[in-house]
Amino acid sequence: MKVSAKTRYGLRILLDIAVFGKDKPRTIRDIAVSQEISEKFISPLVVTLRRAGMLKSLRGVTGGLKLNKDPQYISLLDIIDAMEGEIFLLHCLRDPRSCPRKDHCVTSLVWNEVNESLREKLRSITLQSILDQYFRGKWNEETYSI
């Protein structure tokens, strides 16, 4: 499994909105400047995050983007699944029919266990837990940005 730029930027977009969008909605331009990501790249990611129920769009002069859920209810797994599709380490775990050996494959049990452990770990990391680390100063603001 390799995490794509879509997923990494999706997380950064959500963190940006969570940190800087408390008082007023964030525009795509605000996020693009803050995160040093092109507006052209951000726009389709925002659509994906909105369709997944993590963001809402507010129209009008004071419009922009807000989180649609409390950060404690958005997990890293949610973000990855929205941006990449449900993750599986091997094709046979997603579609058992893709492997003729599936019914008698000992290693599939091991890979399934690893896959489930990974999904559980990603589910346990929430947007809120990342924000908590950031605000507690675990990361030096001079060397780390959102």
Side-chain angles (χ1 to χ4, degrees):
M1 181 189 119
K2 183 176 178 183
V3 176
S4 73
K6 287 182 353 181
T7 297
R8 293 190 324 267
Y9 290 172
L11 175 58
R12 286 173 51 195
I13 290 165
L14 292 169
L15 287 168
D16 183 281
I17 293 168
V19 171
F20 302 115
K22 289 198 179 256
D23 298 329
K24 64 178 189 158
R26 295 285 282 169
T27 65
I28 288 176
R29 175 170 285 133
D30 294 335
I31 298 165
V33 170
S34 172
Q35 297 303 311
E36 300 174 344
I37 306 170
S38 79
E39 289 181 51
K40 205 180 246 189
F41 195 80
I42 289 175
S43 294
L45 303 180
V46 164
V47 170
T48 300
L49 293 168
R50 198 181 79 239
R51 285 185 181 150
M54 292 179 238
L55 290 180
K56 62 182 170 185
S57 299
L58 304 173
R59 296 179 183 266
V61 177
T62 59
L65 300 164
K66 297 285 278 180
L67 291 181
N68 194 41
K69 295 179 178 180
D70 190 287
Q72 71 180 348
Y73 298 114
I74 300 173
S75 73
L76 192 49
L77 180 64
D78 295 331
I79 298 165
I80 292 170
D81 282 350
M83 304 310 275
E84 309 288 339
E86 193 173 356
I87 60 167
F88 290 95
L89 295 176
L90 300 170
H91 293 292
C92 64
L93 298 176
R94 176 178 287 167
D95 180 12
R97 297 169 298 175
S98 70
C99 179
R101 299 176 43 86
K102 179 66 175 157
D103 291 336
H104 55 277
C105 179
V106 164
T107 62
S108 70
L109 300 173
V110 172
W111 290 122
N112 190 54
E113 186 177 323
V114 171
N115 193 77
E116 288 306 311
S117 294
L118 174 63
R119 290 183 60 79
E120 187 55 41
K121 181 61 179 176
L122 293 170
R123 188 179 291 114
S124 74
I125 301 169
T126 65
L127 198 57
Q128 186 63 56
S129 66
I130 297 168
L131 290 166
D132 290 346
Q133 289 177 351
Y134 177 74
F135 287 123
R136 272 196 310 262
K138 183 171 184 176
W139 296 312
N140 178 335
E141 291 180 32
E142 293 175 12
T143 56
Y144 290 97
S145 62
I146 293 178

